[in-house]
Amino acid sequence: MSQAGTSNPEYVNSRVRARRAALFGEEDYRKLVRMGTGEIARYMEETEYEAEMNALGARHRGVDLIEYALNENLAKHFEQLLDWAEGTLYTRIANYLRKFDAWNAKTAIRGVYSGSDAEEISTDYIRAGEFDDGLLDQMAAAGTVEEVVELLSETIFAEGLDAAYEEFDERDVLVPLENAIDKTFYEHLLDGIDTTMVDRNTPAGLYLDVLQAEIDFRNIRNALRLSRTGTDLDPEEYYIEGGKLFESGELRQLVGNFDEFVDYIRESTYGDELSGALADLDAAESLIQFEHALDSALLEYSDTLSYTYPVSICSALSYVLAKEREIENIRAIARGREVGLSPDEIEDELVVT
Amino acid sequence: MFETLPDLSNAVLSSSPALTKEAAAAFSIGLAALATGYAQRGIGSAAVGAVAEDGDNLVPGLILTALPETLIIIAFVATFVV
């Protein structure tokens, strides 16, 4: 089960599991939603986030402090994860953490476009991906969006970005650039994995399953949003390849009819896991609850896999997903409290398994 | 040439087996030691990981790492049997 003859997966696995267990639980969240932003910051200082809170405390305050501390902590943990991992394990984790490269690339483009200075952009980075500090700083210091796009042409995000840049040049909107980056990320997610694998009952097969589920959920989310808003945007433009739920070209007709689309999901392989959420969707006005249900279904799915195959990529993946969730939950609480939402309203926003 | 044949066959028949009892016992212990090492390899690295996360895990980690020692201890019985 281990790669390259070392005991590395065992080591990574036990560290990752210890960290997974130390994440905030339901009880912590229940406490947090009843706190003010100052109290949340205080609470975080006493937990996992102590080092970051102290380091950033002098420069930022309030919700910004919480948010930057969260990002820094996330980056620290994921970088450590990459430090430990070797061989195939490293490649797979790094592949998934490119998500933060996409985030950073988008941050740089948005920042440069809106005329923020290099320091503001740098603070918004999450330094967890493959991009090194040199490239990130260069992107932050770039004067125009074109320069950022040029810097990115050395990376995997180059494909699709050129065409998107032309569109940006014509219409002066960032959407095509951001879409191009996100699409590239998702389409490279399955790199190096044999997608034609028949036997799904192996660690590699299950890993593929989780990633395909993520792509499928992303497609469902995009399609539902398009369908709900009733715009005449072409759903194919947002379609991500690699999932197993939709074929290219299928989306266009499904988006047109909301009920048909919901039925389609109900009859798919994810129908069981999402049945509760789908029932709510019929009744509810907003998609938010359904999107949270998608998130928590993915989380539960990866957890199950990590129990089935203890010493494999699955436990690392489940940790990465859970940690990301925690960061998003705390951010939602802090932002929610800032604008004065009630604890109940915030609790609806949380995804807890 | 034919005169030496009985002598030759005699020598082959009367020679001791390729492996003496003691040597076989030694082999069995050696193999068990290899197996122990292989088992401890994974457990040990996982234990080190757990201890790195939380020092309280040191004692359970040591116990679990030492568990495969039972393999070689049982194999050790072979030395007394032969």
Side-chain angles (χ1 to χ4, degrees), chain A residues 41-63:
Chain A
R42 180 92 194 74
Y43 187 83
M44 281 170 62
E45 243 172 78
E46 284 164 8
T47 58
E48 170 58 43
Y49 300 93
E50 190 187 352
E52 288 77 16
M53 292 300 273
N54 289 338
L56 295 168
R59 271 188 289 153
H60 307 284
R61 52 186 54 258
V63 184

PDB file of all heavy atoms in Angstrom, chain A residues 41-63:
ATOM      1  N   ALA A  41     -12.505  36.247  18.138  1.00  0.00           N
ATOM      2  CA  ALA A  41     -11.056  36.413  18.026  1.00  0.00           C
ATOM      3  C   ALA A  41     -10.371  35.902  19.291  1.00  0.00           C
ATOM      4  O   ALA A  41      -9.352  35.210  19.231  1.00  0.00           O
ATOM      5  CB  ALA A  41     -10.711  37.877  17.795  1.00  0.00           C
ATOM      6  N   ARG A  42     -10.963  36.211  20.422  1.00  0.00           N
ATOM      7  CA  ARG A  42     -10.404  35.779  21.701  1.00  0.00           C
ATOM      8  C   ARG A  42     -10.408  34.250  21.783  1.00  0.00           C
ATOM      9  O   ARG A  42      -9.436  33.626  22.189  1.00  0.00           O
ATOM     10  CB  ARG A  42     -11.266  36.386  22.809  1.00  0.00           C
ATOM     11  CG  ARG A  42     -10.878  36.085  24.205  1.00  0.00           C
ATOM     12  CD  ARG A  42      -9.930  37.157  24.739  1.00  0.00           C
ATOM     13  NE  ARG A  42      -9.292  36.724  25.972  1.00  0.00           N
ATOM     14  CZ  ARG A  42      -8.343  35.825  26.034  1.00  0.00           C
ATOM     15  NH1 ARG A  42      -7.891  35.247  24.946  1.00  0.00           N
ATOM     16  NH2 ARG A  42      -7.815  35.473  27.209  1.00  0.00           N
ATOM     17  N   TYR A  43     -11.528  33.665  21.378  1.00  0.00           N
ATOM     18  CA  TYR A  43     -11.677  32.207  21.421  1.00  0.00           C
ATOM     19  C   TYR A  43     -10.633  31.535  20.524  1.00  0.00           C
ATOM     20  O   TYR A  43     -10.020  30.535  20.892  1.00  0.00           O
ATOM     21  CB  TYR A  43     -13.094  31.839  20.958  1.00  0.00           C
ATOM     22  CG  TYR A  43     -13.450  30.383  21.117  1.00  0.00           C
ATOM     23  CD1 TYR A  43     -13.892  29.879  22.336  1.00  0.00           C
ATOM     24  CD2 TYR A  43     -13.370  29.509  20.035  1.00  0.00           C
ATOM     25  CE1 TYR A  43     -14.227  28.556  22.490  1.00  0.00           C
ATOM     26  CE2 TYR A  43     -13.707  28.178  20.177  1.00  0.00           C
ATOM     27  CZ  TYR A  43     -14.135  27.703  21.409  1.00  0.00           C
ATOM     28  OH  TYR A  43     -14.469  26.396  21.548  1.00  0.00           O
ATOM     29  N   MET A  44     -10.460  32.120  19.342  1.00  0.00           N
ATOM     30  CA  MET A  44      -9.503  31.530  18.412  1.00  0.00           C
ATOM     31  C   MET A  44      -8.085  31.599  18.949  1.00  0.00           C
ATOM     32  O   MET A  44      -7.259  30.736  18.665  1.00  0.00           O
ATOM     33  CB  MET A  44      -9.581  32.238  17.058  1.00  0.00           C
ATOM     34  CG  MET A  44     -10.759  31.780  16.225  1.00  0.00           C
ATOM     35  SD  MET A  44     -10.994  32.824  14.801  1.00  0.00           S
ATOM     36  CE  MET A  44      -9.475  32.569  13.916  1.00  0.00           C
ATOM     37  N   GLU A  45      -7.809  32.655  19.730  1.00  0.00           N
ATOM     38  CA  GLU A  45      -6.468  32.787  20.289  1.00  0.00           C
ATOM     39  C   GLU A  45      -6.145  31.635  21.229  1.00  0.00           C
ATOM     40  O   GLU A  45      -4.980  31.325  21.460  1.00  0.00           O
ATOM     41  CB  GLU A  45      -6.385  34.095  21.081  1.00  0.00           C
ATOM     42  CG  GLU A  45      -5.392  35.074  20.514  1.00  0.00           C
ATOM     43  CD  GLU A  45      -5.512  36.396  21.238  1.00  0.00           C
ATOM     44  OE1 GLU A  45      -4.999  36.475  22.352  1.00  0.00           O
ATOM     45  OE2 GLU A  45      -6.144  37.316  20.689  1.00  0.00           O
ATOM     46  N   GLU A  46      -7.199  31.044  21.788  1.00  0.00           N
ATOM     47  CA  GLU A  46      -6.944  29.973  22.747  1.00  0.00           C
ATOM     48  C   GLU A  46      -6.898  28.615  22.076  1.00  0.00           C
ATOM     49  O   GLU A  46      -6.698  27.603  22.727  1.00  0.00           O
ATOM     50  CB  GLU A  46      -8.044  29.971  23.813  1.00  0.00           C
ATOM     51  CG  GLU A  46      -7.853  31.094  24.800  1.00  0.00           C
ATOM     52  CD  GLU A  46      -9.095  31.357  25.610  1.00  0.00           C
ATOM     53  OE1 GLU A  46     -10.057  30.571  25.515  1.00  0.00           O
ATOM     54  OE2 GLU A  46      -9.107  32.373  26.329  1.00  0.00           O
ATOM     55  N   THR A  47      -7.116  28.573  20.783  1.00  0.00           N
ATOM     56  CA  THR A  47      -7.125  27.271  20.107  1.00  0.00           C
ATOM     57  C   THR A  47      -5.982  27.188  19.116  1.00  0.00           C
ATOM     58  O   THR A  47      -4.986  27.893  19.221  1.00  0.00           O
ATOM     59  CB  THR A  47      -8.461  27.069  19.359  1.00  0.00           C
ATOM     60  OG1 THR A  47      -8.615  28.141  18.439  1.00  0.00           O
ATOM     61  CG2 THR A  47      -9.627  27.038  20.309  1.00  0.00           C
ATOM     62  N   GLU A  48      -6.159  26.320  18.177  1.00  0.00           N
ATOM     63  CA  GLU A  48      -5.275  26.072  17.056  1.00  0.00           C
ATOM     64  C   GLU A  48      -4.702  27.341  16.407  1.00  0.00           C
ATOM     65  O   GLU A  48      -3.582  27.355  15.922  1.00  0.00           O
ATOM     66  CB  GLU A  48      -6.153  25.272  16.075  1.00  0.00           C
ATOM     67  CG  GLU A  48      -5.654  25.037  14.707  1.00  0.00           C
ATOM     68  CD  GLU A  48      -4.348  24.317  14.742  1.00  0.00           C
ATOM     69  OE1 GLU A  48      -4.206  23.382  15.515  1.00  0.00           O
ATOM     70  OE2 GLU A  48      -3.472  24.725  13.967  1.00  0.00           O
ATOM     71  N   TYR A  49      -5.481  28.426  16.423  1.00  0.00           N
ATOM     72  CA  TYR A  49      -5.105  29.588  15.617  1.00  0.00           C
ATOM     73  C   TYR A  49      -4.251  30.599  16.371  1.00  0.00           C
ATOM     74  O   TYR A  49      -4.037  31.703  15.897  1.00  0.00           O
ATOM     75  CB  TYR A  49      -6.369  30.273  15.090  1.00  0.00           C
ATOM     76  CG  TYR A  49      -7.194  29.360  14.240  1.00  0.00           C
ATOM     77  CD1 TYR A  49      -8.212  28.619  14.790  1.00  0.00           C
ATOM     78  CD2 TYR A  49      -6.916  29.215  12.887  1.00  0.00           C
ATOM     79  CE1 TYR A  49      -8.944  27.739  14.014  1.00  0.00           C
ATOM     80  CE2 TYR A  49      -7.639  28.351  12.110  1.00  0.00           C
ATOM     81  CZ  TYR A  49      -8.650  27.613  12.677  1.00  0.00           C
ATOM     82  OH  TYR A  49      -9.355  26.743  11.907  1.00  0.00           O
ATOM     83  N   GLU A  50      -3.778  30.207  17.557  1.00  0.00           N
ATOM     84  CA  GLU A  50      -3.062  31.125  18.425  1.00  0.00           C
ATOM     85  C   GLU A  50      -1.905  31.839  17.719  1.00  0.00           C
ATOM     86  O   GLU A  50      -1.817  33.075  17.734  1.00  0.00           O
ATOM     87  CB  GLU A  50      -2.520  30.348  19.623  1.00  0.00           C
ATOM     88  CG  GLU A  50      -1.963  31.242  20.691  1.00  0.00           C
ATOM     89  CD  GLU A  50      -1.277  30.434  21.787  1.00  0.00           C
ATOM     90  OE1 GLU A  50      -1.370  29.203  21.777  1.00  0.00           O
ATOM     91  OE2 GLU A  50      -0.644  31.063  22.641  1.00  0.00           O
ATOM     92  N   ALA A  51      -1.036  31.054  17.078  1.00  0.00           N
ATOM     93  CA  ALA A  51       0.168  31.636  16.477  1.00  0.00           C
ATOM     94  C   ALA A  51      -0.194  32.698  15.448  1.00  0.00           C
ATOM     95  O   ALA A  51       0.369  33.799  15.445  1.00  0.00           O
ATOM     96  CB  ALA A  51       0.998  30.533  15.837  1.00  0.00           C
ATOM     97  N   GLU A  52      -1.183  32.382  14.600  1.00  0.00           N
ATOM     98  CA  GLU A  52      -1.553  33.323  13.545  1.00  0.00           C
ATOM     99  C   GLU A  52      -2.201  34.574  14.113  1.00  0.00           C
ATOM    100  O   GLU A  52      -1.952  35.684  13.641  1.00  0.00           O
ATOM    101  CB  GLU A  52      -2.505  32.664  12.540  1.00  0.00           C
ATOM    102  CG  GLU A  52      -1.860  31.642  11.627  1.00  0.00           C
ATOM    103  CD  GLU A  52      -1.620  30.320  12.314  1.00  0.00           C
ATOM    104  OE1 GLU A  52      -2.223  30.108  13.396  1.00  0.00           O
ATOM    105  OE2 GLU A  52      -0.826  29.517  11.799  1.00  0.00           O
ATOM    106  N   MET A  53      -3.058  34.370  15.123  1.00  0.00           N
ATOM    107  CA  MET A  53      -3.729  35.527  15.724  1.00  0.00           C
ATOM    108  C   MET A  53      -2.700  36.474  16.327  1.00  0.00           C
ATOM    109  O   MET A  53      -2.786  37.693  16.170  1.00  0.00           O
ATOM    110  CB  MET A  53      -4.702  35.073  16.816  1.00  0.00           C
ATOM    111  CG  MET A  53      -5.897  34.310  16.325  1.00  0.00           C
ATOM    112  SD  MET A  53      -6.931  35.227  15.186  1.00  0.00           S
ATOM    113  CE  MET A  53      -8.001  36.073  16.322  1.00  0.00           C
ATOM    114  N   ASN A  54      -1.708  35.922  17.007  1.00  0.00           N
ATOM    115  CA  ASN A  54      -0.693  36.772  17.620  1.00  0.00           C
ATOM    116  C   ASN A  54       0.160  37.467  16.564  1.00  0.00           C
ATOM    117  O   ASN A  54       0.495  38.640  16.703  1.00  0.00           O
ATOM    118  CB  ASN A  54       0.199  35.946  18.546  1.00  0.00           C
ATOM    119  CG  ASN A  54      -0.558  35.526  19.795  1.00  0.00           C
ATOM    120  OD1 ASN A  54      -1.548  36.153  20.153  1.00  0.00           O
ATOM    121  ND2 ASN A  54      -0.115  34.458  20.423  1.00  0.00           N
ATOM    122  N   ALA A  55       0.499  36.725  15.508  1.00  0.00           N
ATOM    123  CA  ALA A  55       1.372  37.304  14.494  1.00  0.00           C
ATOM    124  C   ALA A  55       0.678  38.441  13.753  1.00  0.00           C
ATOM    125  O   ALA A  55       1.293  39.450  13.408  1.00  0.00           O
ATOM    126  CB  ALA A  55       1.812  36.224  13.526  1.00  0.00           C
ATOM    127  N   LEU A  56      -0.635  38.277  13.484  1.00  0.00           N
ATOM    128  CA  LEU A  56      -1.344  39.267  12.675  1.00  0.00           C
ATOM    129  C   LEU A  56      -2.060  40.316  13.524  1.00  0.00           C
ATOM    130  O   LEU A  56      -2.545  41.316  13.000  1.00  0.00           O
ATOM    131  CB  LEU A  56      -2.353  38.568  11.771  1.00  0.00           C
ATOM    132  CG  LEU A  56      -1.747  37.644  10.713  1.00  0.00           C
ATOM    133  CD1 LEU A  56      -2.827  36.778  10.086  1.00  0.00           C
ATOM    134  CD2 LEU A  56      -1.045  38.452   9.648  1.00  0.00           C
ATOM    135  N   GLY A  57      -2.113  40.067  14.825  1.00  0.00           N
ATOM    136  CA  GLY A  57      -2.888  40.935  15.708  1.00  0.00           C
ATOM    137  C   GLY A  57      -2.492  42.398  15.643  1.00  0.00           C
ATOM    138  O   GLY A  57      -3.327  43.287  15.798  1.00  0.00           O
ATOM    139  N   ALA A  58      -1.204  42.659  15.396  1.00  0.00           N
ATOM    140  CA  ALA A  58      -0.753  44.039  15.388  1.00  0.00           C
ATOM    141  C   ALA A  58      -1.172  44.772  14.121  1.00  0.00           C
ATOM    142  O   ALA A  58      -1.334  45.979  14.121  1.00  0.00           O
ATOM    143  CB  ALA A  58       0.767  44.075  15.537  1.00  0.00           C
ATOM    144  N   ARG A  59      -1.346  44.028  13.040  1.00  0.00           N
ATOM    145  CA  ARG A  59      -1.585  44.684  11.754  1.00  0.00           C
ATOM    146  C   ARG A  59      -3.070  44.818  11.394  1.00  0.00           C
ATOM    147  O   ARG A  59      -3.460  45.743  10.696  1.00  0.00           O
ATOM    148  CB  ARG A  59      -0.865  43.914  10.648  1.00  0.00           C
ATOM    149  CG  ARG A  59       0.561  44.406  10.442  1.00  0.00           C
ATOM    150  CD  ARG A  59       1.145  43.772   9.231  1.00  0.00           C
ATOM    151  NE  ARG A  59       1.412  42.358   9.462  1.00  0.00           N
ATOM    152  CZ  ARG A  59       1.443  41.448   8.517  1.00  0.00           C
ATOM    153  NH1 ARG A  59       1.204  41.790   7.272  1.00  0.00           N
ATOM    154  NH2 ARG A  59       1.715  40.192   8.786  1.00  0.00           N
ATOM    155  N   HIS A  60      -3.861  43.848  11.829  1.00  0.00           N
ATOM    156  CA  HIS A  60      -5.282  43.882  11.467  1.00  0.00           C
ATOM    157  C   HIS A  60      -6.134  43.846  12.715  1.00  0.00           C
ATOM    158  O   HIS A  60      -5.660  43.503  13.793  1.00  0.00           O
ATOM    159  CB  HIS A  60      -5.638  42.680  10.583  1.00  0.00           C
ATOM    160  CG  HIS A  60      -4.751  42.534   9.400  1.00  0.00           C
ATOM    161  ND1 HIS A  60      -4.854  43.326   8.291  1.00  0.00           N
ATOM    162  CD2 HIS A  60      -3.712  41.699   9.165  1.00  0.00           C
ATOM    163  CE1 HIS A  60      -3.938  42.974   7.418  1.00  0.00           C
ATOM    164  NE2 HIS A  60      -3.215  41.999   7.924  1.00  0.00           N
ATOM    165  N   ARG A  61      -7.411  44.176  12.534  1.00  0.00           N
ATOM    166  CA  ARG A  61      -8.308  44.017  13.672  1.00  0.00           C
ATOM    167  C   ARG A  61      -9.693  43.557  13.220  1.00  0.00           C
ATOM    168  O   ARG A  61      -9.995  43.555  12.044  1.00  0.00           O
ATOM    169  CB  ARG A  61      -8.406  45.301  14.489  1.00  0.00           C
ATOM    170  CG  ARG A  61      -8.738  46.563  13.677  1.00  0.00           C
ATOM    171  CD  ARG A  61      -8.665  47.805  14.551  1.00  0.00           C
ATOM    172  NE  ARG A  61      -7.390  47.938  15.247  1.00  0.00           N
ATOM    173  CZ  ARG A  61      -7.184  47.643  16.546  1.00  0.00           C
ATOM    174  NH1 ARG A  61      -8.167  47.193  17.277  1.00  0.00           N
ATOM    175  NH2 ARG A  61      -6.009  47.809  17.092  1.00  0.00           N
ATOM    176  N   GLY A  62     -10.482  43.128  14.222  1.00  0.00           N
ATOM    177  CA  GLY A  62     -11.848  42.731  13.939  1.00  0.00           C
ATOM    178  C   GLY A  62     -11.939  41.526  13.026  1.00  0.00           C
ATOM    179  O   GLY A  62     -11.129  40.607  13.100  1.00  0.00           O
ATOM    180  N   VAL A  63     -12.949  41.560  12.146  1.00  0.00           N
ATOM    181  CA  VAL A  63     -13.211  40.406  11.295  1.00  0.00           C
ATOM    182  C   VAL A  63     -12.070  40.171  10.309  1.00  0.00           C
ATOM    183  O   VAL A  63     -11.751  39.037   9.969  1.00  0.00           O
ATOM    184  CB  VAL A  63     -14.541  40.593  10.544  1.00  0.00           C
ATOM    185  CG1 VAL A  63     -14.867  39.358   9.736  1.00  0.00           C
ATOM    186  CG2 VAL A  63     -15.662  40.850  11.516  1.00  0.00           C
TER     187      VAL A  63
END
